[in-house]
Amino acid sequence: MALPTLKVEIGFDLTDNPVAPFFKLDDSVQGRLDNTEYRLGGTLFYDVTDYVISVDVQRGKSAILSDFPPGECNVEFTNHTRAFDPLFTTSPFYPEIVPRREIRITSGGELIFQGWIEDWDLGYQASSDSVATAKAVDALSIIGNQTLDAFTPSEELAGARIASVLDRAEVSWPSTLRDLDDGTVNIAANAVPAETNALAYLQNVAASDPGYVFVTRDGNFAFRDRRKAPTSATLVALGEGGIPISDLQVTYGSELLFNRVTASRQFGGTAIASNVASQNNYGIRDLTINNTQLANDLDLIDLVVGYASLFSEPEYRFDTVSVVMNNLSASQQADILTLEVGDICSVSFTPNGIAPQILRYVEVREINHNVQTDFHRVELGFDETRYAPLILDDAVFGRLDVGTLSW
């Protein structure tokens, strides 16, 4: 199959560049007062795909209990003509080869990354083989460099608290670039001191639910609470009987084994839950969660009891798989390109072709793209579907051995 079409665009303000498509006085085409094609100026997205050598996108996290780091994207451009040289005044993009320019990457018409360029790295060789690399990050990096003024919020659900922080003048994140779940528990009305890091506070609120915050492939600031409700209709099937996969990595061990869980509320109590059967089998494994933003001790108890149950046994997990887009049909490529962090997949695999087949339902926690002119590989990282609720009458998640009635 043909590769999905790659497109790389950068937001440049080329108002003063003579080659830019803006209104020009006394020009027979671009100087017409009634035209709607040529603007007076401002930032436009320019297609720079013809210069692209490779694209690497990394979005997600390595473990279920860690916070999401900012998504990253590195784009290598051929720079033989010095088009991406910030000092070359006759570049078609001069003087806009600077940090903090917006970049967006699409594949097959689907956004796979949207963010801001932080650095331009230029490499020159004696053979005149020149490469420019744009290093970009998503909005988590932007918010991670903002601090909050002192304020005291109202008691509210986690989703509402996150929205109120994003509304604050110090952050001022657009309401049109949000994708927030409601949350499942109330967050306390604890005073927030001045100079509190905005992202660290939002991650603390999300983890108290417990849920997580991240930035979607199309640039929305997202919050997912623990009450996910997948359906078989939206399930993406990977492996045998589904989309072909390669390089399947399985982990089975104690990295997520915890049978004594301690958690505290900021300015509140502490709760401890122990799973005695697990401790007898594997010894005591501690997990400590300090200074949650929960509003009451009952929710704190629910948190530690839930974690002591969820993490009480070693986990056999399909950790990562790779998908080679060259090998897929157009519909299969679309299924992979539209996957988002938090989506649910099934993975089917028969080790060495020896029955029985192993089937797991997994939650996407990591999406990485490596794109070159003749190649596109996607690596997906997974967590087990620990929180998926029982969905009545659903062919997959209505089964008692798949969905859960509570934690």
Side-chain angles (χ1 to χ4, degrees):
M1 285 297 299
L3 283 173
T5 301
L6 177 71
K7 188 175 186 179
V8 178
E9 299 171 284
I10 301 177
F12 291 136
D13 183 353
L14 299 175
T15 304
D16 297 325
N17 190 311
V19 303
F22 293 122
F23 182 86
K24 297 178 182 177
L25 286 173
D26 302 323
D27 187 282
S28 60
V29 177
Q30 291 177 237
R32 292 172 50 193
L33 293 176
D34 59 346
N35 90 83
T36 58
E37 182 178 355
Y38 300 103
R39 298 168 38 176
L40 292 176
T43 297
L44 297 175
F45 276 97
Y46 290 82
D47 187 343
V48 294
T49 310
D50 288 344
Y51 297 91
V52 171
I53 299 171
S54 67
V55 174
D56 281 291
V57 174
Q58 295 186 335
R59 297 178 50 244
K61 61 179 181 176
S62 59
I64 188 172
L65 292 176
S66 61
D67 292 324
F68 279 85
E72 297 180 350
C73 176
N74 291 339
V75 183
E76 285 190 337
F77 301 99
T78 180
N79 197 30
H80 302 315
T81 62
R82 297 184 67 185
F84 298 96
D85 186 333
L87 304 182
F88 190 53
T89 58
T90 57
S91 162
F93 310 122
Y94 183 84
E96 287 291 290
I97 304 301
V98 294
R100 286 303 178 95
R101 291 298 175 259
E102 198 167 0
I103 186 170
R104 62 190 184 194
I105 317 291
T106 58
S107 181
E110 296 291 341
L111 275 165
I112 60 174
F113 183 85
Q114 184 148 345
W116 287 264
I117 296 171
E118 289 284 271
D119 296 295
W120 287 95
D121 290 350
L122 307 178
Y124 298 98
Q125 297 181 11
S127 62
S128 298
D129 186 13
S130 173
V131 174
T133 303
K135 297 184 174 182
V137 294
D138 67 19
L140 282 189
S141 180
I142 304 299
I143 297 174
N145 283 298
Q146 296 170 325
T147 57
L148 300 173
D149 294 337
F151 73 102
T152 301
S154 303
E155 184 177 319
E156 55 198 344
L157 288 172
R161 176 65 55 81
I162 290 170
S164 68
V165 171
L166 296 176
D167 285 339
R168 292 187 61 79
E170 312 95 89
V171 179
S172 193
W173 186 254
S175 60
T176 54
L177 293 176
R178 303 180 191 180
D179 184 4
L180 307 179
D181 286 353
D182 293 335
T184 60
V185 296
N186 277 353
I187 301 300
N190 295 330
V192 178
E195 301 300 318
T196 295
N197 182 273
L199 179 59
Y201 181 75
L202 291 168
Q203 289 172 331
N204 188 5
V205 169
S208 300
D209 186 77
Y212 51 83
V213 291
F214 68 104
V215 171
T216 63
R217 60 189 176 88
D218 55 354
N220 284 283
F221 188 94
F223 165 60
R224 295 289 175 265
D225 62 33
R226 74 171 186 251
R227 300 297 188 194
K228 300 174 182 66
T231 67
S232 55
T234 60
L235 194 67
V236 175
L238 303 172
E240 296 163 355
I243 295 173
I245 60 176
S246 61
D247 300 330
L248 172 66
Q249 298 295 318
V250 175
T251 63
Y252 179 61
S254 61
E255 66 178 63
L256 292 176
L257 173 60
F258 301 107
N259 47 39
R260 184 168 65 187
V261 181
T262 304
S264 64
R265 289 194 305 121
Q266 187 180 33
F267 311 124
T270 297
I272 302 174
S274 293
N275 189 306
V276 176
S278 175
Q279 291 176 0
N280 289 337
N281 286 332
Y282 309 110
I284 295 176
R285 299 269 300 181
D286 281 304
L287 173 65
T288 301
I289 306 168
N290 291 320
N291 292 321
T292 72
Q293 296 296 315
L294 291 170
N296 64 74
D297 288 336
L298 289 178
D299 287 331
L300 189 69
I301 293 170
D302 188 44
L303 176 69
V304 295
V305 170
Y307 272 9
S309 173
L310 285 173
F311 298 109
S312 62
E313 293 293 328
E315 181 180 71
Y316 183 99
R317 184 176 79 249
F318 288 161
D319 189 50
T320 62
V321 301
S322 292
V323 178
V324 179
M325 301 295 279
N326 311 52
N327 300 335
L328 306 186
S329 67
S331 62
Q332 290 173 330
Q333 289 177 352
D335 284 342
I336 295 298
L337 293 171
T338 54
L339 276 176
E340 185 53 274
V341 169
D343 285 350
I344 305 299
C345 300
S346 66
V347 182
S348 301
F349 172 63
T350 303
N352 303 325
I354 302 172
Q357 182 188 74
I358 300 171
L359 171 64
R360 288 288 188 275
Y361 297 97
V362 294
E363 178 183 347
V364 177
R365 68 154 196 272
E366 190 173 18
I367 305 173
N368 301 324
H369 295 263
N370 175 244
V371 189
Q372 301 181 29
T373 54
D374 59 351
F375 185 77
H376 186 166
R377 179 188 293 270
V378 180
E379 183 179 90
L380 302 172
F382 302 118
D383 290 319
E384 290 293 306
T385 51
R386 296 175 181 272
Y387 304 139
L390 186 73
I391 308 297
L392 290 176
D393 301 321
D394 187 90
V396 173
F397 297 100
R399 293 161 45 194
L400 290 176
D401 59 341
V402 176
T404 58
L405 291 173
S406 62
W407 267 85

